[in-house]
Amino acid sequence: MESFRMQSASTAPVPVSQPRWWTELPLLALVYGAYSAGRLVARGDVSTAVDHGLRILHLEKVLRINFEHPLNRLLTARSSLGIPADFVYATLHYVITPVVLIWLFRRHKAVYRRARTWLMTSTLFGLIGFTLMPTCPPRLLDAAHGFVDTMAQYSSYGWWGTEASAPRGMGGMTNQYAAMPSLHVGWALWCGILIWRHARHPLVRALGVLYPLVTTLVVMGTANHYFLDAVAGAAVMGVGALLARPVLRIADRVRSRVADRFPRFAGVTASPADGETAVVTSPVTGDTAAVTSPVVGAGCKTSAGERIPGQRTTSADSPHAAPSADADAPADRAPRAEAVAPAGAGAAGDGTAPADR
């Protein structure tokens, strides 16, 4: 029984080990570049975007959830609140999100791969939302609807101009009608959940809870998003969290097929012997995995360099074999059970190899 446990442990699959930074950086840069380019390509007709924005605003008024109106009036009237809010909107999602990724990579590698996949999958769904439903943010609606663009109002205090948070003169490189869903809120929620779950200090965990809440208030108060945009951003992150595991399984399956089809690029430098472990590195994602070779001998010993136990000749068959220990036994003593039983069979036909007993 003990031997069976040892053999089972030797053939059990080993979890995928940590990704490598020199493959993660290009991967994340590629995804973010595709996301930024997709936002530009997803620009819809302005009149359609305005219609979508007005419909969202009308629905919020009917449901009495148009919280962006009082928040925008508050930030417009008080520069002590409006200016910090503009800096939060223009800065934090570019800083906090990468910091959390790096922190997970260095301190919590066991959850990094799934968290990264969660973020990337949710971002992809956000891009689909921009494409299917271009939406005019509140700040770009007619002034009769009661919104003030705080970014334009306080532009002299920051690097941005009148075109959202883009640096002056670079507004043409952004899609200002990508309001639905709000990935500002979505990314902040992703950061907050991971900080709350994996940080140790209570203060840091509290900041993780506050960050998505503050971001939601800021995106509405600066008139960059409706409340329903924020709700949609949270929903997109929820879908991404549900799909993270299936996406990882598909990625692992594709990686396995690539490794089988192109073993030269699979990252295995040598075939492991029975029960030994080799490290496999994916050339696509850079992830490494420890692969254990099964014990094909089932307890039998193999010669050096031999993968499968060869057929052994017994002492009776081999003319040059050394005399066994049983040859010196007294004539009236029965030979040992191991010498009588066939090779690989148990003493009582229990199927247990001699080496296992």
Side-chain angles (χ1 to χ4, degrees):
M1 186 65 179
E2 184 65 26
S3 175
F4 177 77
R5 290 176 181 171
M6 292 175 62
Q7 290 185 15
S8 300
S10 66
T11 58
V14 182
V16 176
S17 60
Q18 295 81 9
R20 301 181 178 185
W21 67 267
W22 58 84
T23 57
E24 286 297 305
L25 285 181
L27 177 63
L28 294 174
L30 177 64
V31 171
Y32 184 77
Y35 161 73
S36 301
R39 280 173 56 103
L40 296 178
V41 175
R43 287 179 176 177
D45 182 68
V46 174
S47 60
T48 302
V50 171
D51 289 342
H52 289 160
L54 291 176
R55 289 177 185 176
I56 292 174
L57 182 60
H58 175 71
L59 177 60
E60 288 186 351
K61 288 181 177 180
V62 171
L63 299 176
R64 298 181 182 276
I65 55 173
N66 56 322
F67 306 121
E68 57 269 16
H69 264 123
L71 288 171
N72 182 242
R73 287 194 291 267
L74 177 64
L75 298 189
T76 302
R78 299 191 176 184
S79 59
S80 58
L81 297 177
I83 295 174
D86 285 347
F87 274 98
V88 168
Y89 178 82
T91 305
L92 287 193
H93 70 292
Y94 289 120
V95 177
I96 302 297
T97 308
V99 166
V100 172
L101 276 170
I102 295 172
W103 170 63
L104 291 174
F105 183 84
R106 292 180 59 86
R107 298 295 182 88
H108 302 279
K109 291 188 176 182
V111 300
Y112 167 80
R113 190 164 176 257
R114 185 182 176 191
R116 174 255 283 164
T117 305
W118 171 17
L119 179 65
M120 292 167 56
T121 305
S122 302
T123 300
L124 175 61
F125 277 99
L127 182 58
I128 294 174
F130 302 152
T131 305
L132 297 180
M133 190 175 177
T135 304
C136 178
R139 64 184 180 81
L140 294 182
L141 294 176
D142 189 271
H145 295 285
F147 292 104
V148 176
D149 186 353
T150 62
M151 302 293 292
Q153 179 179 355
Y154 301 121
S155 60
S156 59
Y157 294 91
W159 59 85
W160 57 85
T162 59
E163 298 173 307
S165 59
R168 291 182 180 87
M170 299 181 65
M173 299 179 64
T174 62
N175 181 4
Q176 299 191 73
Y177 297 98
M180 171 67 76
S182 172
L183 287 186
H184 268 77
V185 173
W187 290 357
L189 181 62
W190 177 87
C191 294
I193 291 175
L194 292 171
I195 292 173
W196 180 79
R197 290 185 62 182
H198 301 291
R200 297 181 179 179
H201 198 285
L203 178 58
V204 177
R205 299 184 68 192
L207 292 176
V209 174
L210 288 175
Y211 177 49
L213 297 177
V214 171
T215 301
T216 302
L217 296 176
V218 164
V219 299
M220 291 190 295
T222 57
N224 279 284
H225 289 282
Y226 306 94
F227 174 69
L228 289 180
D229 293 346
V231 173
V236 161
M237 298 309 295
V239 173
L242 293 175
L243 293 179
R245 285 189 182 275
V247 169
L248 278 176
R249 284 197 294 266
I250 294 173
D252 290 339
R253 196 171 305 166
V254 171
R255 182 177 57 195
S256 177
R257 290 183 178 180
V258 170
D260 292 340
R261 190 175 181 86
F262 305 100
R264 178 179 301 178
F265 304 101
V268 182
T269 57
S271 298
D274 294 350
E276 294 183 354
T277 301
V279 177
V280 181
T281 304
S282 170
V284 180
T285 62
D287 297 344
T288 58
V291 179
T292 302
S293 173
V295 183
V296 299
C300 299
K301 295 184 178 181
T302 59
S303 300
E306 195 174 38
R307 298 283 297 164
I308 301 177
Q311 183 67 36
R312 300 290 187 266
T313 58
T314 62
S315 58
D317 297 334
S318 177
H320 303 289
S324 63
D326 292 329
D328 299 331
D332 58 343
R333 182 187 301 178
R336 290 182 303 174
E338 287 84 347
V340 177
D350 57 355
T352 305
D356 296 340
R357 291 198 302 275

